Amino acid sequence: MDLHYTEADRDFRIRAREWLKANVPQAPRPAHGTAGAQFDRDWQRKLHDHGWAGVAWPQEYGGLGLSGLRQVIWYEELARAHAPHHINTTYVALMHAGPTLIARGTPEQKAFHLPRILSGEALWCQGFSEPNAGSDLASIKTRGRIEGDHIVVDGAKMWTTDAQYGDYQELLIRTDPASERHKGLTWVICDMKTPGIDIKPIRTMLQDDHVSMVFYDEVRIPLSNVVGEVGKGWSTALATLSFERGLGFIGDQLELYERVNRAIDLAGKTRIEDGRLAIEDDGVAQRLAAIKADCIAIRAMTLADIAETDRTGEPGPKGSMMKLMVTTTHKALSEVVGEILGWSFLEFDGDRAAYPWTYDYLWSWVFSISGGTNEIQREITADRVLGLPKAR
């Protein structure tokens, strides 16, 4: 990747910055309920209607077809403008369901679903984790039996983000009852309005119903909704997870740098117990400097991963390294901010806009689990990046 910005790159940044300055929503995103989902749909529709949706998606699928570097520029400008990015109900559709369909879907699946994703018309959720198969995804039990031209699904999924707002779900099931682990799995598109689906939201420490249990009772899904091949869904699932841990975290990676700068500014304005400004405390200053250095390293890793994706069409396992570094850096920053503000800042009523640092601190714990725990990311890095022997 050529990291020298061309005149066209600089022009793209200027146009993005000017458009965001004029169009970023002034009101904060509603913290709860369908109003938040509608906010996300409206923002995505606005991006689509003004020609900013799918910066790196191929033009044949409705995107702008621009380089990975332009994608990075776009996310840097989103973070600079404090604009919404894909961490809410549009995240699954845009950052891994859509890319998975581009890489593995049939022409019919792409033609139907990709325009609806880019326009914000269709929201997606992810049906991977189960009560006894979270990080160990290969242990899933939710089963699907083939009857004619349908798969009939029974079972349950856990921690399904925004299931109650999803129009479709990327659903991983076991279609071969005699299979074990990675074999005999199938990745299917599930219409969330299909009879037999029961959604039970779960209240979290973030004071929201962001995740849910989803139960399936004789849910009939057309065989034409299989992405990839029946019984070979693990390969498709790995592609999905690569997009989630690589491209899916670009916004978080680049926004983290802006958050560090805001924390440094906070330390320069906030007095700690001994009356000094927090930034005058050597321990605080050194930790903030180290975290900012980590953020610079994360940006370099982001650019390297983007370059690899541009070459191969799919992110590689190095996305797990980035995901691990982002989550650990996020948590380290949140802990420093907690010390600067005093731990009473953990008093939280669920209003993210009113308590942004508290929300970030609580989210840092969720972030270290969602998309695969930090322990799993270390295992993937050791196995698939470093080629180390498997743990016994």
Side-chain angles (χ1 to χ4, degrees):
M1 173 181 279
D2 182 358
L3 298 183
H4 293 90
Y5 292 121
T6 65
E7 190 64 34
D9 291 331
R10 288 189 286 271
D11 179 66
F12 176 80
R13 184 185 294 278
I14 291 170
R15 289 189 292 109
R17 183 173 297 182
E18 290 177 348
W19 187 86
L20 287 167
K21 182 178 180 180
N23 289 278
V24 167
Q26 297 303 303
R29 180 185 186 273
H32 305 292
T34 57
Q38 189 59 51
F39 178 97
D40 300 337
R41 287 184 193 268
D42 292 343
W43 174 242
Q44 184 59 32
R45 166 62 73 176
K46 191 169 191 176
L47 292 174
H48 177 267
D49 290 349
H50 287 79
W52 293 101
V55 170
W57 280 32
Q59 289 182 322
E60 62 187 294
Y61 302 127
L64 302 185
L66 300 179
S67 67
L69 184 57
R70 296 279 180 91
Q71 175 97 71
V72 170
I73 291 171
W74 172 246
Y75 275 107
E76 286 177 335
E77 292 306 314
L78 283 175
R80 183 180 183 278
H82 306 299
H85 69 83
H86 312 307
I87 59 172
N88 297 312
T89 57
T90 57
Y91 175 83
V92 172
L94 288 160
M95 304 313 292
H96 42 95
T100 300
L101 291 178
I102 289 173
R104 303 294 180 92
T106 66
E108 294 78 14
Q109 290 166 350
K110 295 175 185 178
F112 181 83
H113 289 288
L114 295 179
R116 289 168 171 79
I117 289 173
L118 276 188
S119 69
E121 178 182 343
L123 302 179
W124 285 57
C125 57
Q126 185 179 50
F128 278 25
S129 296
E130 297 182 2
N132 293 308
S135 294
D136 185 15
L137 188 58
S139 297
I140 67 169
K141 303 294 185 185
T142 296
R143 59 197 179 277
R145 67 180 187 274
I146 298 177
E147 292 186 356
D149 58 358
H150 282 76
I151 298 178
V152 182
V153 178
D154 290 281
K157 293 293 179 178
M158 186 74 172
W159 307 121
T160 304
T161 303
D162 295 318
Q164 64 271 49
Y165 311 121
D167 300 294
Y168 297 94
Q169 182 181 61
E170 46 185 36
L171 177 61
L172 192 63
I173 56 177
R174 189 169 297 280
T175 45
D176 181 355
S179 66
E180 295 182 353
R181 303 297 296 166
H182 310 96
K183 298 180 180 179
L185 304 179
T186 301
W187 198 111
V188 297
I189 301 167
C190 177
D191 186 332
M192 293 300 284
K193 297 180 179 63
T194 306
I197 295 176
D198 187 20
I199 300 171
K200 301 291 186 185
I202 300 170
R203 193 77 168 169
T204 72
M205 67 180 179
L206 296 173
Q207 303 298 312
D208 61 21
D209 301 324
H210 190 49
V211 295
S212 299
M213 282 283 293
V214 182
F215 299 92
Y216 309 82
D217 182 12
E218 297 284 301
V219 176
R220 299 181 65 84
I221 300 174
L223 273 172
S224 59
N225 284 15
V226 172
V227 177
E229 298 180 46
V230 173
K232 297 184 179 180
W234 185 250
S235 174
T236 308
L238 285 180
T240 302
L241 294 173
S242 293
F243 286 120
E244 180 180 27
R245 294 164 184 167
L247 298 178
F249 285 113
I250 290 177
D252 299 281
Q253 294 156 24
L254 299 174
E255 188 179 65
L256 188 57
Y257 185 82
E258 291 294 324
R259 192 177 292 125
V260 171
N261 288 334
R262 295 200 298 272
I264 292 172
D265 183 62
L266 178 72
K269 297 176 179 177
T270 306
R271 296 192 180 277
I272 52 181
E273 290 183 356
D274 62 8
R276 290 180 299 162
L277 292 172
I279 199 66
E280 296 172 343
D281 181 277
D282 288 344
V284 170
Q286 290 170 7
R287 288 163 69 187
L288 287 172
I291 291 169
K292 186 164 185 175
D294 285 342
C295 287
I296 294 171
I298 288 170
R299 184 179 186 277
M301 293 170 68
T302 298
L303 292 170
D305 195 57
I306 283 288
E308 181 175 348
T309 303
D310 280 348
R311 288 194 304 270
T312 65
E314 291 186 16
K318 293 179 182 178
S320 289
M321 296 171 59
M322 284 202 302
K323 202 271 185 183
L324 176 62
M325 192 163 182
V326 170
T327 54
T328 54
T329 303
H330 187 170
K331 182 172 284 189
L333 177 62
S334 296
E335 290 174 352
V336 174
V337 170
E339 294 178 17
I340 292 171
L341 293 176
W343 290 105
S344 61
F345 94 123
L346 286 179
E347 297 176 3
F348 183 59
D349 65 2
D351 188 342
R352 178 180 178 181
Y355 301 91
W357 290 114
T358 308
Y359 183 92
D360 282 343
Y361 177 82
L362 296 175
W363 176 250
S364 72
W365 292 90
V366 178
F367 201 21
S368 67
I369 299 172
S370 66
T373 65
N374 286 353
E375 291 74 17
I376 289 295
Q377 306 313 320
R378 291 186 177 97
E379 287 282 345
I380 293 171
T381 299
D383 179 28
R384 298 179 59 199
V385 179
L386 300 177
L388 298 178
K390 291 185 179 292
R392 297 185 180 221

